[in-house]
Amino acid sequence: MNLQTDTMTRRFVTIPGVFAVAVMLTLLIPLWVPLAAAADLVRGKHRLPTVRLLGFGVCWSWLETAGVAAAALLWLCGQSGNRRVHYALQRWWSKNLLASLAATCGISVDAQGMDAFSTGGALHFVRHASLADSLVSAYVVTNIAGLRPRFVLKRELLMDPCLDVVGQRIPNYFLDRGANDSAPELDAVSRLVSDLSPDDVGIIFPEGTRANPTKRQTALARIGERDPERAAKMADLQHVLPPRPSGARAMATGAADADVIVAWHVGFEGLDSFGGILKALNRRFPPIRFVARRVPGREVPRDERFDGWLDDQWLRMDAEVADALVARNEGK
């Protein structure tokens, strides 16, 4: 089965599936709202997290359906290759998804250090802690900074219809993390950012997966088997995972003169699973604090020193996240 056949087979399942979810959740609102509310109240969850999460599910499924319908209309009008209108569709999608999160779950974003995005032509290395990281990054880059993101994302996210259809019409790369030969994947990542304009930002999550304590200990143990010195250096990490440098290095090589925007956020801790999300939604949710800083390209090594430089950025990030979490908890 070739790649085009795989794509059509996947879309034949996911696109009608999301539309069916949207219709069913909407039609069954009179049924699931009281049942979910009763289940929440019986368990002492007075902020009704199940109701709120299902409410977001209604918004998400209809936004997905609308996004795919818009993409289909663009295709019918011969505009499937028009990047400008697809970036506009991406801005609309991320803005309204975040607005839906705010309306249903009380999750909003307080973005700081936005002068780091004063111009594009840069790489953006971001902390990864939740299912919503890519949405927040897309919102910040497209709606606040007014730039065009080029994401490196895991291939599994192609199961999201909007990411599948729209995300493949604009410059993004969906990485096969299980590839037997990583060289073609890394070459593709490098090419993705080889022609960045002042309006473009290449985005990657160097940790490679959502952080939690179990994953952190597993990652450190694996590093210790290969590189005890690096494991010792990263052993005190408390909030982030040791970065996997290969993808970020490929980006830095592909955009040899680009600045790097390093970003972290607090507020998504524990939201790396649906169970964690339900638990978090049962409390008041302060705004997600998103913080970015820009490192000039001349300060970013593009040789064998890059891995150590990236580790240093993540150690600094871990300390800043720790301080921000203390301040966040004290403010409750």
Side-chain angles (χ1 to χ4, degrees):
M1 187 178 292
N2 60 39
L3 183 59
Q4 184 175 4
T5 303
D6 284 343
T7 299
M8 296 308 297
T9 300
R10 179 178 63 247
R11 292 176 181 176
F12 183 76
V13 174
T14 60
I15 293 174
V18 167
F19 177 64
V21 168
V23 171
M24 289 178 60
L25 281 176
T26 303
L27 292 178
L28 295 176
I29 283 175
L31 178 63
W32 64 255
V33 167
L35 288 178
D40 283 336
L41 293 173
V42 166
R43 293 177 296 163
K45 298 183 181 297
H46 302 294
R47 294 184 64 85
L48 306 180
T50 306
V51 176
R52 295 162 72 192
L53 188 58
L54 285 170
F56 175 71
V58 174
C59 298
W60 168 81
S61 56
W62 280 116
L63 285 169
E64 288 286 316
T65 300
V68 172
L73 181 61
L74 290 171
W75 176 76
L76 288 172
C77 295
Q79 297 296 307
S80 61
N82 187 330
R83 290 183 178 179
R84 181 183 61 81
V85 295
H86 284 83
Y87 274 121
L89 181 56
Q90 183 185 47
R91 285 194 299 274
W92 173 88
W93 179 79
S94 60
K95 178 182 179 180
N96 284 283
L97 268 181
L98 199 63
S100 298
L101 269 178
T104 59
C105 300
I107 298 177
S108 59
V109 176
D110 175 20
Q112 302 173 9
M114 289 301 97
D115 56 332
F117 294 95
S118 57
T119 183
L123 306 178
H124 187 23
F125 297 167
V126 194
R127 181 192 182 198
H128 199 11
S130 84
L131 298 168
D133 285 338
S134 56
L135 169 60
V136 170
S137 296
Y139 171 76
V140 168
V141 171
T142 61
N143 286 277
I144 297 180
L147 299 172
R148 301 181 305 203
R150 298 186 180 189
F151 277 98
V152 176
L153 299 168
K154 62 183 180 181
R155 187 159 296 182
E156 291 86 343
L157 288 175
L158 290 173
M159 296 301 293
D160 180 298
C162 272
L163 288 177
D164 187 6
V165 178
V166 180
Q168 296 202 79
R169 292 184 185 175
I170 52 182
N172 296 297
Y173 188 70
F174 292 86
L175 190 71
D176 183 359
R177 298 186 299 174
N180 293 326
D181 183 0
S182 63
E185 299 293 306
L186 295 176
D187 287 344
V189 170
S190 187
R191 289 194 302 272
L192 176 68
V193 295
S194 62
D195 61 344
L196 293 177
S197 79
D199 294 323
D200 298 322
V201 176
I203 304 176
I204 194 169
F205 301 89
E207 289 157 288
T209 187
R210 301 182 297 273
N212 63 41
T214 300
K215 290 180 180 178
R216 185 161 43 251
Q217 292 305 312
T218 300
L220 288 169
R222 289 176 178 171
I223 292 171
E225 295 173 358
R226 303 188 305 269
D227 188 346
E229 184 176 348
R230 184 186 179 214
K233 176 181 177 180
M234 308 301 285
D236 291 334
L237 291 177
Q238 297 296 314
H239 304 287
V240 302
L241 298 181
R244 300 177 183 179
S246 55
R249 190 192 318 118
M251 269 196 159
T253 302
D257 299 319
D259 294 351
V260 172
I261 302 168
V262 179
W264 51 265
H265 44 71
V266 293
F268 280 136
E269 288 72 25
L271 275 72
D272 59 317
S273 66
F274 285 106
I277 293 171
L278 285 172
K279 182 178 180 181
L281 291 181
N282 197 44
R283 55 178 170 79
R284 187 180 67 85
F285 219 100
I288 302 297
R289 183 183 174 197
F290 181 97
V291 180
R293 61 182 175 85
R294 192 171 183 125
V295 182
R298 64 180 179 276
E299 298 178 12
V300 181
R302 260 73 178 190
D303 53 20
E304 67 278 357
R305 298 171 296 162
F306 177 84
D307 293 9
W309 175 86
L310 186 63
D311 281 347
D312 290 340
Q313 302 305 309
W314 247 247
L315 286 167
R316 173 176 172 177
M317 179 186 294
D318 191 72
E320 291 172 343
V321 168
D323 290 343
L325 285 173
V326 170
R328 186 181 182 89
N329 291 331
E330 288 176 350
K332 288 184 178 180

